[in-house]
Amino acid sequence: MSLATTVRVGQLAGHNDLVGTRLAGYVGIAIAALSMGVVVLGFWLVPKSIISLYIDINNQNNADVVALAVKLLAVAAIFQIVDGVQVTAAGALRGLKDTRIPMLIGIFAYWCVGLFTGYIFGILLGFGAIGFWWRLAIGLAIAAIILTWRFSTRKTK
């Protein structure tokens, strides 16, 4: 979805179609969020079916792993949606030839916010693996919000 959004936004921006450029970016971002939403339903509704593709969920020796995996899939569901939005918003910005600031936004969101929240949730608050996975979701959510905001405020010409 990101590549298609990049191309469509770039084509419309090249034709100086401001309305079409914005619409192409927003539609791409919305389709990415909706398609990730379909994946999320599986993570939330049938996590054990997904886990059973990798390990025997009926084996009592795997009970702790299954319980942790169910929790991690719930966090991964949030991760999926915000990741789809942030990568497509970055693609829309690439279509506008805007790459430097999105790179800095990524560094800030993943390394500053993500690393900091991972340390807080995973280590200081003692959430362990769940806290570290929330780090990913929060960092990506920050990137998604800022990149989408940048796209919406960016002048095309």
Side-chain angles (χ1 to χ4, degrees):
M1 182 51 45
S2 174
L3 184 56
T5 302
T6 300
V7 170
R8 190 70 183 131
V9 166
Q11 287 175 337
L12 291 166
H15 289 294
N16 293 323
D17 182 351
L18 298 173
V19 173
T21 300
R22 292 273 177 253
L23 184 61
Y26 292 138
V27 167
I29 292 167
I31 290 172
L34 289 172
S35 63
M36 292 295 104
V38 172
V39 173
V40 163
L41 289 176
F43 284 12
W44 281 337
L45 297 176
V46 290
K48 288 187 179 179
S49 295
I50 295 169
I51 296 164
S52 71
L53 296 172
Y54 300 98
I55 63 172
D56 180 5
I57 62 172
N58 297 317
N59 183 337
Q60 282 304 100
N61 293 332
N62 294 333
D64 291 340
V65 173
V66 171
L68 179 60
V70 167
K71 292 175 186 174
L72 290 174
L73 280 176
V75 177
I78 303 300
F79 170 96
Q80 284 295 118
I81 292 174
V82 295
D83 188 40
V85 170
Q86 70 89 26
V87 76
T88 307
L93 289 166
R94 271 193 307 278
L96 297 177
K97 298 180 183 177
D98 184 3
T99 57
R100 184 172 303 214
I101 298 300
M103 177 192 66
L104 295 174
I105 291 168
I107 290 169
F108 168 75
Y110 311 141
W111 287 97
C112 297
V113 174
L115 197 59
F116 179 72
T117 57
Y119 176 73
I120 299 244
F121 290 163
I123 296 172
L124 290 183
L125 296 177
F127 293 129
I130 301 293
F132 286 116
W133 276 48
W134 271 114
R135 160 193 65 89
L136 294 170
I138 291 169
L140 287 168
I142 295 298
I145 291 165
I146 296 172
L147 290 168
T148 302
W149 170 81
R150 182 160 175 86
F151 176 76
S152 69
T153 60
R154 186 87 168 125
K155 298 199 182 339
T156 58
K157 288 287 175 180

